[in-house]
Amino acid sequence: MRRAALLTVGCTVLAAAAQAQLAPAGQPQMNLPRTTLMAGMYRIDAQVASTNAQRQIGLMHRQEMPQHEGMLFVFEQPAVQCFWMKNTLIPLTAAFVTDDGTIANLADMKPLDETSHCSTKPVRYVLEMNQGWFDAKHIKAGHKLGGEAFRRAP
């Protein structure tokens, strides 16, 4: 019994250490892998948050983000995904995206608001961009995004 408790504590400490390597508490994570996405003729330079720890931090603590940049959250399998803006300082729009790159729905999110914004159907991807980016480019639900993330081997 004691061994199991020590093992649990050890795993918890290792998990906390791994998460701490991503970004110190209260600091934005700036060094995630990147991918290029396309929305019609518009290029998006997206950081990729593909682990649970990376997805939990997301765009928290950012003071600003360049207009052509975003963050692509990648999940292991499609599900209804819900996002909130805890510790997120900039207004964002979340695009909930299916496996083939089709935007299922968009949700505008206010800084520091803990209201959940969810996909209207199961999705594997969520792309967060500065609020207003999708509107300015006339990109709506049903629009298809391109990029390596959405290409699957046959």
Side-chain angles (χ1 to χ4, degrees):
M1 179 84 101
R2 181 182 165 145
R3 185 171 182 219
L6 287 175
L7 183 59
T8 300
V9 169
C11 288
T12 302
V13 169
L14 286 174
Q19 188 170 6
Q21 288 179 347
L22 295 174
Q27 297 296 313
Q29 56 184 354
M30 302 297 291
N31 296 315
L32 295 178
R34 291 181 178 268
T35 191
T36 299
L37 303 176
M38 297 300 294
M41 62 186 248
Y42 303 103
R43 183 183 158 279
I44 300 166
D45 180 19
Q47 285 188 295
V48 179
S50 59
T51 69
N52 208 21
Q54 292 168 343
R55 290 188 299 258
Q56 285 177 359
I57 296 169
L59 289 168
M60 287 181 177
H61 311 293
R62 295 269 179 106
Q63 298 289 328
E64 60 186 8
M65 184 169 62
Q67 284 300 307
H68 70 283
E69 290 188 14
M71 184 170 284
L72 182 67
F73 295 80
V74 180
F75 294 87
E76 289 75 22
Q77 38 196 316
V80 172
Q81 306 296 344
C82 294
F83 278 57
W84 63 347
M85 296 285 283
K86 181 176 183 177
N87 297 323
T88 306
L89 308 173
I90 54 177
L92 299 170
T93 299
F96 297 95
V97 184
T98 63
D99 280 357
D100 71 353
T102 302
I103 297 173
N105 64 296
L106 297 164
D108 286 340
M109 303 184 296
K110 296 176 187 170
L112 305 173
D113 184 6
E114 295 187 22
T115 303
S116 285
H117 301 273
C118 302
S119 60
T120 56
K121 62 183 181 181
V123 297
R124 186 184 311 265
Y125 306 99
V126 179
L127 175 62
E128 287 184 341
M129 297 291 290
N130 284 302
Q131 196 169 105
W133 188 90
F134 292 101
D135 283 342
K137 311 292 192 251
H138 306 287
I139 297 169
K140 301 181 182 329
H143 190 98
K144 198 164 188 176
L145 302 176
E148 197 62 39
F150 310 119
R151 294 190 192 114
R152 294 239 179 257

